[in-house]
Amino acid sequence: MARRALITGITGQDGSYLAEHLLEQGYEVWGLARGQANPRVSRMRKLLSDVQVVRGDLLDQGSLISAVERVQPDEVYNLGAISFVPMSWEQAELTAEVTGMGVLRMLEAIRVCSGVSRGGSSASGQIRFYQASSSEMFGQVSETPQTERTAFHPRSPYGVAKAYGHFLTQNYRESYGMFAVSGILFNHESPRRGAEFVTRKVSLGVARIKLGLATELRLGNLEARRDWGFAGDYVKAMHLMLQAANPEDYVIGTGRMKSVRELVEAAFAAAGLDWERYVVTDQTLHRPAEVDLLCADPKKARAQLGWEPSVSFDELVAMMVESDLRLLSDGADPDDDSWP
């Protein structure tokens, strides 16, 4: 029989790429969604017709237990979150409930449905759980590059909530013997990234300027440096973590940093434009507490999982600009959450 996977956050960037990858691997894929009338679910059904949908909400413990009981998954990927970092200051409580407490509720649903009790049971034969941790947990970094052992110092409500979920995943692994792992993923982007994220804001801005739909692009801190990779590569690492013999946490990234300024330069160059003619820095777009530098050390994932990124930074940026040029040329609305 085909292995069965349940994905929270199925309608997001990572959820869509992960679903495609698992379907290619022969899985039966289920996505957790808050309601069948959700327009994002309708779009997901059109693009991923083989994915089945089950109702559930990371804010509702009972609904998660019901979803796990119905699907009977072999693997659960918890990707659902309030994931836009600037929004986490505006909706700090909701971020804590979904991004933090949602992890607890999903782990409890798996524990209850699996009949796991304290005292430790074998990890083999259990539902395997993946938690989407984040490089934002490192925040004000104590060392560079960051490894699985680097201390956390989150600088946003989002980072704090992710750290809670990360430690809770470790706690359930150690307390109950559950096969529960966290992937500490550094920034990963694609043409499916939401329009509010800086990479997509840049690619859309470049496309609008190229097509004569805008005359400037307003951005915040151009000197912030990140480790950017392609989301389609990173979901493969998620899957590999749950195929390992033992449950462990892994840092996933390219190991190479680029500044927002370099992102801008590459994006405008991909469209044959001079970025300095169009980019305006805006102090109001800076975060209350900035994270200046994030860079992964993915040696463990390379050695133990055999994972390597396949798309370079320049290829990723060009891919996003070209996709948004096509999108806007076709008259599509980039804010409707659809996937190209």
Side-chain angles (χ1 to χ4, degrees):
M1 292 180 62
R3 293 183 64 78
R4 193 175 296 128
L6 173 62
I7 304 171
T8 74
I10 186 73
T11 60
Q13 168 191 255
D14 292 6
S16 68
Y17 280 113
L18 178 61
E20 287 177 340
H21 179 64
L22 293 179
L23 288 169
E24 290 172 358
Q25 300 298 312
Y27 277 67
E28 178 183 315
V29 178
W30 289 73
L32 186 82
R34 282 182 294 173
Q36 306 292 39
N38 185 336
R40 298 183 76 183
V41 173
S42 299
R43 284 189 287 270
M44 183 272 293
R45 286 184 180 279
K46 291 178 182 178
L47 292 161
L48 297 170
S49 58
D50 291 333
V51 172
Q52 302 181 67
V53 177
V54 61
R55 292 193 183 199
D57 192 331
L58 290 172
L59 297 174
D60 180 4
Q61 179 73 76
S63 73
L64 298 180
I65 292 174
S66 296
V68 173
E69 286 182 336
R70 179 183 175 190
V71 176
Q72 294 291 304
D74 299 290
E75 300 170 3
V76 172
Y77 296 85
N78 186 44
L79 312 184
I82 304 294
S83 58
F84 184 48
V85 176
M87 186 183 295
S88 72
W89 278 282
E90 299 171 13
Q91 297 182 299
E93 183 178 355
L94 181 60
T95 299
E97 284 289 342
V98 176
T99 307
M101 289 295 293
V103 184
L104 171 63
R105 296 185 186 105
M106 182 54 78
L107 283 166
E108 271 295 287
I110 293 170
R111 188 187 67 80
V112 169
C113 293
S114 300
V116 176
S117 60
R118 194 166 54 213
S121 59
S122 172
S124 62
Q126 289 186 26
I127 297 172
R128 297 191 169 203
F129 175 79
Y130 171 85
Q131 166 58 18
S133 289
S134 168
S135 60
E136 288 288 331
M137 300 185 304
F138 295 122
Q140 187 170 308
V141 298
S142 59
E143 62 180 1
T144 298
Q146 292 87 53
T147 74
E148 291 80 6
R149 296 184 177 276
T150 301
F152 297 152
H153 187 152
R155 299 268 283 171
S156 67
Y158 169 81
V160 171
K162 281 291 187 181
Y164 173 82
H166 180 85
F167 283 126
L168 200 66
T169 300
Q170 289 183 343
N171 185 258
Y172 269 62
R173 181 169 71 220
E174 294 168 1
S175 299
Y176 298 107
M178 292 174 63
F179 196 108
V181 306
S182 289
I184 307 174
L185 270 58
F186 281 63
N187 295 64
H188 47 290
E189 316 297 326
S190 76
R192 300 179 187 178
R193 177 56 97 182
E196 69 274 21
F197 289 82
V198 67
T199 48
R200 188 78 192 287
K201 183 178 181 180
V202 168
S203 64
L204 278 168
V206 169
R208 288 189 177 107
I209 291 169
K210 181 69 174 180
L211 296 173
L213 303 175
T215 59
E216 68 176 25
L217 172 61
R218 304 187 74 85
L219 296 170
N221 182 11
L222 297 183
E223 306 312 319
R225 306 183 76 192
R226 294 290 185 272
D227 182 335
W228 276 300
F230 174 50
D233 286 337
Y234 287 42
V235 299
K236 295 176 182 177
M238 300 177 189
H239 178 240
L240 287 170
M241 288 180 213
L242 293 194
Q243 313 317 304
N246 298 304
E248 297 185 37
D249 303 327
Y250 295 88
V251 160
I252 302 297
T254 69
R256 293 179 291 275
M257 285 186 297
K258 297 288 185 178
S259 67
V260 175
R261 186 183 300 274
E262 290 173 292
L263 165 67
V264 169
E265 290 173 350
F268 277 89
L273 299 172
D274 178 3
W275 73 274
E276 292 183 297
R277 294 180 55 190
Y278 305 103
V279 174
V280 177
T281 56
D282 186 341
Q283 291 295 321
T284 66
L285 298 176
H286 284 233
R287 296 182 184 183
E290 186 60 84
V291 174
D292 295 316
L293 187 155
L294 291 173
C295 183
D297 181 350
K299 289 191 183 74
K300 180 180 176 181
R302 185 182 302 119
Q304 295 189 17
L305 303 177
W307 179 83
E308 292 275 4
S310 66
V311 177
S312 72
F313 175 77
D314 288 338
E315 290 170 337
L316 170 63
V317 175
M319 176 199 308
M320 294 180 68
V321 171
E322 291 164 7
S323 175
D324 280 329
L325 281 168
R326 289 193 300 272
L327 184 74
L328 296 179
S329 296
D330 292 340
D333 180 2
D335 297 317
D336 70 356
D337 288 327
S338 61
W339 299 323

